[in-house]
Amino acid sequence: MSKTDTVEKSGRDVPVIELRHVDKHYGNLHVLRDINLKVEKGEVVVVIGPSGSGKSTMCRTINRLETIDSGEILIEGEPLPQEGRDLTRMRAELGMVFQQFNLFAHLSILDNVTLGPREVLGLSKEEAEARAMELLERVGVGEQANKVPAQLSGGQQQRAAIARSLAMRPKAMMFDEPTSALDPEMINEVLDVMVELARGGMTMVVVTHEMGFARRVASRVIFMAEGQIVEEGSPDEFFDHPKTQRARDFLDSIR
Ligand code: ADP
Ligand code: MG
């Protein structure tokens, strides 16, 4: 290890998430092409782009839910391991919220939120429940704690899913189109929770087409197309003055 590496690791400036020259294929499909991305502590990076451009795949590689062909993924300067206990530990440090709520259907909301902290972090039942209730209150579903997911609305389930991720005290949260499966009237209640998280300093990667959200909280917008990061800028730069024709065409298609 070089001297600068050591300094980087002990310093504050090491990115929470870093992708270096990441490439991935699905058979003949070159799904990620030389992706380079740094997400600094406290940043909210919004990822936008046409369907099929590789946004979900990129998120999934960061959690090692997908392998990569070449390149490197570093979490706080530490390479993401291929497998084993270190991978389990590092995966637990990154919260992930998907389009589908992914709560365990047979468990109460409270048990959904306490499961990880008890099994992975080794918290006692009491500690885990106290933390879970605090988080469920914070996202506005405290009163639903003893129900099963099917008894909640989609918006409530997604907020519970966010609480479940937060219960693991993640270093960063990744959201992959968290509101696209929701009825329109429930979108804002989920976005509001995400805005609060962002304001609280959480490091976030958010795949979304919600431009209002992006304008309010994004530190940076990344535009992906055909597996590449085509454009990157502040929300105002990107939405008001996109640099590429591809970005302009995409923005026209969603406005
Ligand atoms: P996005 O999230 O931007 O819509 P995805 O990352 O889901 O894009 O998909 C990128 C491309 O990879 C698409 O063409 C998709 O069909 C393909 N793809 C995604 N997952 C797989 C898989 N497990 N096997 C083969 N192809 C896949
Ligand atoms: Mg996707």
Side-chain angles (χ1 to χ4, degrees):
M1 187 187 295
S2 74
K3 204 169 174 188
T4 46
D5 280 346
T6 320
V7 172
E8 256 199 333
K9 278 187 185 170
S10 59
R12 285 187 178 176
D13 291 330
V14 57
V16 180
I17 299 169
E18 180 170 5
L19 278 71
R20 291 184 186 161
H21 302 295
V22 168
D23 263 273
K24 178 174 180 67
H25 293 78
Y26 284 122
N28 288 330
L29 179 68
H30 200 169
V31 61
L32 296 178
R33 300 168 188 245
D34 194 28
I35 298 286
N36 291 282
L37 176 68
K38 281 186 190 175
V39 183
E40 307 288 346
K41 194 167 182 353
E43 263 197 311
V44 178
V45 173
V46 166
V47 182
I48 188 166
S51 175
S53 55
K55 307 179 299 296
S56 294
T57 304
M58 183 177 78
C59 287
R60 292 168 59 80
T61 62
I62 295 173
N63 240 343
R64 194 60 177 71
L65 295 170
E66 291 285 353
T67 56
I68 58 177
D69 299 339
S70 59
E72 268 190 300
I73 297 174
L74 305 157
I75 307 299
E76 288 189 338
E78 219 186 309
L80 199 58
Q82 294 298 304
E83 56 189 16
R85 295 238 311 260
D86 285 345
L87 175 62
T88 309
R89 172 180 58 78
M90 286 174 78
R91 210 176 248 164
E93 292 170 351
L94 296 172
M96 182 121 191
V97 175
F98 301 91
Q99 181 174 333
Q100 294 305 333
F101 322 123
N102 289 114
L103 293 166
F104 296 111
H106 61 290
L107 293 183
S108 72
I109 295 298
L110 184 64
D111 289 345
N112 264 281
V113 181
T114 58
L115 188 66
R118 291 182 66 185
E119 305 267 311
V120 181
L121 305 182
L123 263 60
S124 70
K125 185 168 190 280
E126 291 68 31
E127 283 173 308
E129 288 187 352
R131 183 191 290 192
M133 282 313 302
E134 193 186 310
L135 288 166
L136 289 170
E137 301 286 352
R138 197 164 124 201
V139 302
V141 294
E143 288 178 10
Q144 322 299 327
N146 295 313
K147 296 183 180 167
V148 291
Q151 293 173 289
L152 273 62
S153 72
Q156 289 173 326
Q157 287 186 55
Q158 196 60 307
R159 285 181 284 148
I162 294 171
R164 181 175 64 174
S165 282
L166 291 175
M168 297 298 284
R169 300 245 160 102
K171 288 183 172 150
M173 288 281 291
M174 289 187 292
F175 294 86
D176 189 1
E177 304 208 27
T179 60
S180 354
L182 296 175
D183 291 334
E185 70 272 21
M186 293 171 189
I187 291 176
N188 280 331
E189 64 193 46
V190 173
L191 292 177
D192 287 347
V193 168
M194 294 166 62
V195 170
E196 281 307 306
L197 260 186
R199 298 217 164 119
M202 177 62 77
T203 307
M204 295 163 59
V205 176
V206 185
V207 179
T208 184
H209 295 166
E210 294 291 336
M211 291 192 281
F213 171 83
R215 280 202 193 255
R216 271 202 290 169
V217 302
S219 329
R220 255 185 308 147
V221 175
I222 304 278
F223 175 68
M224 280 183 78
E226 292 167 31
Q228 281 178 305
I229 295 178
V230 172
E231 209 171 310
E232 185 171 339
S234 72
D236 288 348
E237 270 167 12
F238 178 72
F239 291 118
D240 297 336
H241 306 286
K243 295 191 272 280
T244 59
Q245 190 61 42
R246 268 202 281 197
R248 283 192 286 276
D249 290 345
F250 176 71
L251 287 170
D252 286 343
S253 76
I254 61 169
R255 281 204 255 246

